[in-house]
Amino acid sequence: MAYENLKKQDKQIYAAITGEIKRQQEGMELIASENYVSRAVLEALGSVFTNKYSEGYPGKRYYGGQDFTDVVETLAIERAKKIFGAEHVNVQPHSGAPANMIAYNAVLQPGDTVLGMDLSHGGHLTHGHPLTLSAHIYNFIGYKTNQAGEIDYKQLEKLAIEHKPKLILAGFSAYTRKLDYKKFQAIAKKVGAISMFDIAHIAGLIAGKAIENPVPYFDIVTTTTHKTLRGPRGGMIMCKQQFAKAIDKSAFPGFQGGPHMNNIAAKAVAFGEALKPAFKTYAKQVIKNAKVLETELRKRGFEIKFGGTDYHMVLVDVFGSKGITGKQAEHALDEAGITVNKNMIPDDPRSPMDPSGIRIGVQAVTSRGMKEKEIKLIAGWIEEIVLAHDDKKVLAQIKKEVTTFCKKYPIYPAV
Ligand code: DSN
């Protein structure tokens, strides 16, 4: 990638960007929420659309000069509708947290009750964690997983009947099992609640038809566009027609100002990619790779939470399995060139800053072309690193091996 102007004008930022390119090329990226966008997506992101204000929606803007913004936003919407079969799509949310806030604001009044999944059981911060703004405005009640590690639908139903929530929220950032859409929907219907699913982690698996599409089942579906969906950093909301006006009004003028049209152009490009047959192959390979990782780690004595994975990631109890904390494991893996994040496990006896688990996702390495054979090697490295977590020499040696290996799978060749 050429950055000639930047190189001349701003050496510090140029150095940081080229350093980051090198880091991404040479490192093994296993954070479950990251991916590599295509060059075409990068070009759209870096386009002149960043210069343009376009408050409003296609055909109904507050400023002039919208000939081409309307083209890209309409294409993004139409492509998203085609991928997910959505009745209505809003592509303006800047990211996942604002998308959720916009959705809440569209259908809730301050003080309304929401049932959301507990963070330590695999939910997400924006689904009711006390430190978030939404938790200050709405009354969140958390549901959990059962002993078998699956969503406890009985508890969910009991809580729904007891608390009569206005909204029941599904979605997860670490939970790895398939959701029973019909059961979830039936509980929402029984108590007259609106149903919402935050599919941020699994949007690409749905787009690639590797798992069933939940969009027809739920009233509102929010997502980010940059995880398994492999688009630019951003958010999106899909909903049934009856919520369309409320969602659009809540996004603008309710919550955001001008949409980031360079980002929306990049979303449109990524959605175009997700509609191609190659994306189906990718999504299926992601799940195959995650299954191999689960099996290989289990063979090596790691406990996989939730009883396994149906998606792109596994949650591993490193403290329970190997006696090192999630933070220690994250640091040791980092030193050896493998990036993951420490993560709470259900009912974690440890703290969020030094929890028992690590979360490992394979969607980014799958984008680099890694398959079952490579995943087995990765599992072997993870074991070696965890066992030798205190030994700097061993970690440095593994880093050399990981770097050499990653260079064989270039993310952006010939930078
Ligand atoms: N940070 C994202 C994740 O890692 O799941 C979502 O908040």
Side-chain angles (χ1 to χ4, degrees), residues 10-123:
D10 195 325
K11 295 211 170 349
Q12 285 163 301
I13 295 296
Y14 174 77
I17 290 177
T18 47
E20 177 62 14
I21 293 171
K22 189 169 182 305
R23 190 193 69 80
Q24 290 190 16
Q25 291 273 29
E26 296 182 354
M28 184 77 75
E29 184 52 72
L30 295 177
I31 288 182
S33 48
E34 298 186 9
N35 215 326
Y36 305 105
V37 300
S38 69
R39 283 170 185 261
V41 168
L42 278 182
E43 283 174 10
L45 258 183
S47 69
V48 290
F49 276 118
T50 197
N51 298 334
K52 186 71 194 121
Y53 255 120
S54 40
E55 283 103 327
Y57 292 98
K60 292 168 282 182
R61 308 276 188 191
Y62 286 82
Y63 295 6
Q66 306 293 344
D67 318 48
F68 301 106
T69 53
D70 279 7
V71 171
V72 293
E73 187 164 351
T74 304
L75 277 172
I77 292 168
E78 292 309 319
R79 288 175 186 174
K81 279 187 177 171
K82 202 165 169 190
I83 295 171
F84 294 101
E87 290 180 19
H88 180 77
V89 176
N90 187 309
V91 291
Q92 295 194 2
H94 299 324
S95 206
N100 285 343
M101 203 63 198
I102 289 164
Y104 300 150
N105 181 50
V107 295
L108 300 174
Q109 295 299 318
D112 277 349
T113 297
V114 182
L115 271 190
M117 194 173 192
D118 187 279
L119 178 65
S120 78
H121 282 244

Side-chain angles (χ1 to χ4, degrees), residues 170-236:
F172 5 87
S173 60
Y175 182 66
T176 49
R177 301 325 300 247
K178 272 186 191 149
L179 183 72
D180 187 331
Y181 307 151
K182 285 193 183 132
K183 220 182 238 180
F184 201 91
Q185 189 54 40
I187 295 171
K189 201 168 167 207
K190 189 168 181 176
V191 298
I194 295 166
S195 63
M196 174 171 155
F197 191 1
D198 175 348
I199 60 165
H201 266 272
I202 55 174
L205 308 179
I206 297 163
K209 304 203 182 314
I211 58 174
E212 195 193 354
N213 182 12
V215 172
Y217 292 89
F218 286 78
D219 293 319
I220 300 173
V221 174
T222 58
T223 187
T224 51
T225 47
H226 50 268
K227 298 184 174 91
T228 49
L229 191 49
R230 212 162 61 183
R233 309 198 72 74
M236 173 164 79

Side-chain angles (χ1 to χ4, degrees), residues 219-290:
D219 293 319
I220 300 173
V221 174
T222 58
T223 187
T224 51
T225 47
H226 50 268
K227 298 184 174 91
T228 49
L229 191 49
R230 212 162 61 183
R233 309 198 72 74
M236 173 164 79
I237 304 175
M238 296 171 269
C239 64
K240 300 280 183 235
Q241 203 55 47
Q242 72 184 100
F243 299 102
K245 265 197 185 143
I247 291 285
D248 285 355
K249 256 175 78 183
S250 177
F252 174 81
F255 195 74
Q256 295 187 166
H260 295 179
M261 210 45 84
N262 56 322
N263 203 273
I264 290 174
K267 285 175 188 170
V269 175
F271 298 162
E273 292 172 359
L275 282 165
K276 293 198 173 130
F279 201 81
K280 286 201 181 79
T281 314
Y282 165 68
K284 288 197 176 76
Q285 188 65 48
V286 168
I287 293 184
K288 275 191 213 161
N289 284 354

